[in-house]
Amino acid sequence: MDSVMLLVLILLPALAALLLPLARRFREPFVLAALLLETAGAVWLLQKSAQLHLFNMTAALPVGLRLDGVSKLFLLIAAVGYLLAGVYAFRYLKEGHERFFRFFLLSQAALVGMCFAENLVTMYLFFEMTTLLSMPLVLHDRTDEAIRAALKYLFYSVAGAFLGLCFIFFYARYSLTLRFVPGGALDGAAVRGHETLMQVVTFLGIVGFGAKAGLYPLHGWLPTAHPAAPAPASAILSGIIAKAGVLAIVRVLYYAVGADFLRGTWVQTALLALALLTVLMGSMMAYREKLLKKRLAYSSVSQISYILVGLFVMTAESVSGALMHVLFHACIKICLFLCAGSFIAVAGKHRVDELRGIGKAMPKTLWGFTLASLALIGIPPASGFVSKWYLAMGALDSGLAVFSWLVPVVLLISALLTAGYLLPISIAGFFPGRDAALPPRNDEGGWHMWLPILLLGARNVMGTGWRAWDVAAFTTFLSCFTRLATKSSSAAKLFNAVHRAQVSWRRIRPLMQDVKSLEPVQAAPSAPLHVRELGFAYPGGEEIFAGLSFDAQPGEILGVTGPVACGKSTLGRAFLCEYPYQGSIRFGEKELSGLTEAQRAGVVGYLGHDPELFNASVRDNVL
């Protein structure tokens, strides 16, 4: 019975997707029933142990299923995450419900199959199926942006899977079995003399499977796919489907080649360097991004690499922290993307700077966003702090020369950047300022949308492992974190000011010109001024002034007065002949428009109030 349940949990969402056209009149209850049954089955299997052989592709390529501890963790995330995202999607989607839920359920079936994979071949089959069946979720809106994003997601994932397949080819040659074995199943006798080759293909395989998890340099699909996909799709892409890459790396690293084969080699150094680079790069890109969903996508690039850092450190504590962060990040990021979807669907707010005062209109949604943000930053007692604590402790105890201290430092810097790109949204949302225009209060999309957000938000602040914490170490950490945050705030302000100055300079410089050396102006002899029927109007616009006639003799002073924007400056520019005037302006016997620029400079001068930029020294312009 337990073995059959493995197959049932794969077929249940797949059959529900195929039968969906027959349930159009009661589509939402049908989908909800399928998701609830899947979740119930996953919970029931948590206490079980099962294995099921399906068939052999060849004599050496078996396809089978097995339930172990790693399978249970990822299965629980897939079942509960899809359930909450599915309930949210009932109200979020405006059209295309049947198409969306068909691929929503099919992608869940592929992901559950990958969780149950007994060997590398089975895992690879379901890995590719997960890519192909989740791509239509990105493509759902069928806009040009969605099409480009879906194709980019497909190309990156297939390219990464190709590297993974290359690893499987070589691993099959130098291993005892393709089945997952704790500690690895490399054949020591076969590998002897080919260690470098196996290290290279293992490195390429991990980088390839890491494409799904957003590991640099194959991370580019995440910030493109998330803004184009509907919010429920973005939530499962970041919170669940991206974890398929993590699961594949866990299987390769700890159940195929074995951590002992890579520990202390250049492969471990290179993988840690890539993961830490991805953590920093993702955080900095998120800090600079103004589009909310794209900011969360860059955040996913950074935060999923926290998990990879823990796996690549290869200590018991770091791996524990990594697996904790798999669960915690799934809850956090699903919550954040659902919040972003509510801001977009209900309030029409896509950008971060548009969310000022949103807490007055959507308080429940912003509270869920705030709780998830605190957890992602790692502020105690939120769940994110617990996993990051184990990651840091694992690195400090690893004995790795540089990375033992570099990993905690990078985690702290990333936490500060995370606070910088998430907390201002909550602060501006709840405290917009006295003069801010507040959006109108709304129903926040109904309980379908805000209930999953609050459930996930509450879960994100429920940390575990308090009894294991050393109080003195925790107090020291908190003190150091506070001091570092205080010191870094000044540095962050300076960095922001320098960045703004650089942007301003790039915009201003093309407008700056060298000062042309002008020949001395010879003043024209005094002569009377005669103005007749002077007028001016912009082409196709209203008349600024008309019918002005007056005379002036040498030595006389005429004053021009009037309200703001009545045409005084325009009159001055007409005398300069910068504007094509109507009528006549004669100085002596000569019409001003008939004079050359040099002759006119000797007759009339006008200093307006428009600011000018001169490419000269401060002394020439100010002193």
Side-chain angles (χ1 to χ4, degrees), residues 557-561:
I557 298 176
L558 298 180
V560 180
T561 63

Side-chain angles (χ1 to χ4, degrees), residues 437-454:
L438 300 180
R441 185 70 182 264
N442 55 65
D443 65 350
E444 306 190 48
W447 69 267
H448 294 84
M449 297 177 71
W450 58 256
L451 183 59
I453 289 172
L454 289 183

Side-chain angles (χ1 to χ4, degrees), residues 70-416:
V70 174
S71 301
K72 293 175 183 178
L73 172 64
F74 286 87
L75 173 64
L76 182 64
I77 294 171
V80 177
Y82 266 81
L83 173 62
L84 294 176
V87 172
Y88 179 95
F90 293 153
R91 183 69 180 270
Y92 178 89
L93 295 175
K94 300 296 188 294
E95 58 183 16
H97 290 68
E98 182 176 319
R99 183 178 68 253
F100 177 86
F101 283 114
R102 180 183 300 117
F103 289 103
F104 185 82
L105 292 169
L106 287 173
S107 65
Q108 186 186 33
L111 198 60
V112 171
M114 188 177 172
C115 294
F116 291 152
E118 180 198 29
N119 53 64
L120 280 172
V121 174
T122 309
M123 184 192 77
Y124 182 80
L125 289 176
F126 283 112
F127 185 87
E128 289 282 43
M129 290 174 62
T130 301
T131 298
L132 296 175
L133 295 173
S134 60
M135 187 197 74
L137 299 178
V138 181
L139 190 62
H140 176 75
D141 289 338
R142 293 181 290 185
T143 61
D144 291 341
E145 179 189 8
I147 293 172
R148 289 192 297 268
L151 290 176
K152 190 172 185 178
Y153 169 55
L154 178 64
F155 295 155
Y156 271 74
S157 298
V158 170
F162 173 79
L163 294 177
L165 183 61
C166 178
F167 160 78
I168 295 174
F169 288 155
F170 282 89
Y171 178 78
R173 169 66 180 80
Y174 295 108
S175 67
L176 298 172
T177 177
L178 289 175
R179 289 184 170 88
F180 295 133
V181 177
L186 279 178
D187 186 347
V191 172
R192 189 172 298 112
H194 303 282
E195 290 88 353
T196 301
L197 173 62
M198 199 61 209
Q199 288 171 1
V200 170
V201 296
T202 301
F203 174 77
L204 293 177
I206 291 175
V207 171
F209 286 125
K212 185 76 75 178
L215 179 66
Y216 180 87
L218 298 177
H219 66 285
W221 68 270
L222 276 125
T224 304
H226 284 302
S234 296
I236 63 170
L237 278 172
S238 176
I240 304 173
I241 293 177
K243 303 304 188 302
V246 175
L247 176 58
I249 291 173
V250 170
R251 293 303 193 186
V252 169
L253 191 55
Y254 292 96
Y255 289 83
V257 298
D260 291 336
F261 180 71
L262 300 179
R263 188 179 286 112
T265 66
W266 66 269
V267 177
Q268 183 183 23
T269 302
L271 290 174
L272 275 171
L274 284 178
L276 290 176
L277 175 63
T278 310
V279 169
L280 275 179
M281 179 194 64
S283 296
M284 289 189 289
M285 296 301 292
Y287 184 81
R288 296 182 58 183
E289 181 58 49
K290 300 301 180 185
L291 195 65
L292 179 57
K293 287 183 70 177
K294 199 168 186 178
R295 174 176 290 191
L296 296 179
Y298 279 121
S299 173
S300 295
V301 171
S302 174
Q303 293 292 326
I304 297 176
S305 286
Y306 276 55
I307 302 169
L308 301 183
V309 167
L311 297 177
F312 298 154
V313 169
M314 303 182 191
T315 65
E317 277 191 302
S318 69
V319 174
S320 297
L323 295 179
M324 285 182 187
H325 207 62
V326 169
L327 174 61
F328 297 156
H329 177 264
C331 296
I332 293 168
K333 201 49 66 78
I334 291 174
C335 181
L336 289 175
F337 271 109
L338 295 186
C339 291
S342 295
F343 294 146
I344 293 170
V346 180
K349 309 295 185 183
H350 295 261
R351 296 176 56 83
V352 172
D353 49 17
E354 297 174 343
L355 295 176
R356 183 173 296 276
I358 196 68
K360 307 297 182 180
M362 306 176 68
K364 291 188 286 290
T365 303
L366 190 58
W367 267 115
F369 186 93
T370 303
L371 293 174
S373 299
L374 295 175
L376 195 65
I377 296 166
I379 296 177
S383 58
F385 176 79
V386 181
S387 57
K388 294 177 184 180
W389 176 271
Y390 279 97
L391 290 173
M393 292 301 103
L396 290 171
D397 295 338
S398 66
L400 298 172
V402 176
F403 294 108
S404 60
W405 61 265
L406 184 59
V407 168
V409 169
V410 171
L411 295 184
L412 285 172
I413 295 173
S414 178
L416 292 172

Side-chain angles (χ1 to χ4, degrees), residues 260 423 453 457 556 567 581-582:
D260 291 336
L423 289 185
I453 289 172
E556 293 183 352
Y581 60 83
Q582 300 170 353

Side-chain angles (χ1 to χ4, degrees), residues 461-527:
V461 297
M462 294 170 60
T464 59
W466 278 90
R467 298 173 185 173
W469 292 351
D470 182 85
V471 176
F474 169 71
T475 306
T476 303
F477 171 83
L478 191 59
S479 175
C480 292
F481 184 89
T482 304
R483 287 178 178 271
L484 183 61
T486 304
K487 295 289 185 183
S488 300
S489 61
S490 299
K493 291 179 182 178
L494 178 61
F495 171 79
N496 195 32
V498 170
H499 174 67
R500 289 185 178 181
Q502 290 174 339
V503 173
S504 300
W505 175 248
R506 287 197 297 267
R507 291 176 177 174
I508 291 173
R509 184 159 190 177
L511 304 176
M512 301 181 70
Q513 299 177 356
D514 294 331
V515 177
K516 298 178 181 179
S517 57
L518 301 177
E519 298 180 0
V521 176
Q522 298 293 330
S526 300

